[in-house]
Amino acid sequence: MRLAGRICEWNDDKGFGFVVAHDGGARAFVHVKAFQPGSRRPVLGDLISYRAANDAKGRANAVDVRFAGQRIERHPSPSAGPSPLRRIPRWPLGVAALLAVAALGALGWVPAAVPLVQGFFSFASYIAYWLDKDAAGASRRRTPESTLHVLDLLGGWPGALIAQQQFRHKTVKPSFQAKFWGTVLLNLVAVAAAVRLGWARALTDLLLDGRV
């Protein structure tokens, strides 16, 4: 059974809020991903219809959410669909990036420090996205977006791509995605400069030999 209600709290930076049904009862948690693909961003006071479901801890959640008067859109038109950035195959791209840098290191085309550093920060970034997604669903304290961007900038962006698709996290917010792809570009430029100027080779010697 669908319910009608109004969004009584909304945090657009974090992409979630709460809705209260018109007929009363406890408020329900609502996440931006519960809305139909291609929908606009919710705002405080929006009238919506939804189905109520309980999560693993028995808390009320709003799912299958539509704005008042919005039709079911099973095949959104290109103008109403997700942005091209959301359609990027993130998981394959992240895995391909890790495999490519590992192959370059194995062939000796880049110093060993490059795949080692990228692998380490990709793992750290994957864990950070996972924890942030879990915190969002449980209404716990979130990981700052700046922390995620720093990890991605340091080389964790392949792991971030994998996590974004696997957990369906941070792919909706345009401002976050713009900064994310900026960190990818900056990291690639920084790695190329480090290899060319010999910094990556010096770091490899430090890591492998233990010498300063």
Side-chain angles (χ1 to χ4, degrees):
M1 183 180 67
R2 295 191 66 82
L3 302 173
R6 183 185 299 273
I7 296 179
C8 61
E9 289 187 29
W10 185 254
N11 188 323
D12 195 57
D13 288 336
K14 297 181 178 180
F16 69 82
F18 293 90
V19 56
V20 290
H22 291 330
D23 58 0
R27 65 180 188 171
F29 176 84
V30 59
H31 195 276
V32 69
K33 290 185 175 63
F35 289 79
Q36 287 191 77
S39 297
R40 63 172 174 80
R41 300 284 293 184
V43 297
L44 183 66
D46 271 338
L47 297 176
I48 62 173
S49 67
Y50 61 96
R51 291 188 298 105
N54 292 332
D55 62 17
K57 297 183 179 180
R59 295 169 298 196
N61 282 254
V63 297
D64 188 19
V65 182
R66 299 198 296 269
F67 293 106
Q70 184 180 18
R71 297 179 179 179
I72 298 176
E73 190 72 33
R74 299 189 183 279
H75 300 285
S77 64
S79 61
S83 67
L85 289 179
R86 291 184 59 191
R87 294 194 293 268
I88 291 175
R90 299 167 190 276
W91 188 90
L93 184 59
V95 172
L98 290 174
L99 291 177
V101 74
L104 291 174
L107 294 171
W109 293 357
V110 298
V114 176
L116 288 174
V117 170
Q118 189 160 58
F120 173 82
F121 281 107
S122 287
F123 178 75
S125 187
Y126 178 91
I127 295 299
Y129 276 80
W130 173 35
L131 294 176
D132 188 52
K133 173 67 174 183
D134 186 65
S139 299
R140 297 196 306 268
R141 184 175 181 179
R142 301 284 300 278
T143 302
E145 290 186 353
S146 58
T147 299
L148 299 177
H149 288 315
V150 168
L151 290 173
D152 299 337
L153 178 61
L154 292 174
W157 58 268
L161 285 171
I162 297 171
Q164 286 177 16
Q165 179 167 336
Q166 181 176 350
F167 304 125
R168 298 179 62 189
H169 191 47
K170 295 296 186 184
T171 61
V172 174
K173 188 176 179 182
S175 61
F176 182 90
Q177 283 297 306
K179 293 177 182 178
F180 169 74
W181 289 106
T183 64
V184 174
L185 179 60
L186 288 174
N187 174 259
L188 292 174
V189 171
V191 170
V195 172
R196 183 177 181 83
L197 296 174
W199 300 339
R201 177 62 61 189
L203 180 58
T204 299
D205 293 340
L206 178 64
L207 293 175
L208 298 182
D209 299 335
R211 295 196 302 266
V212 178

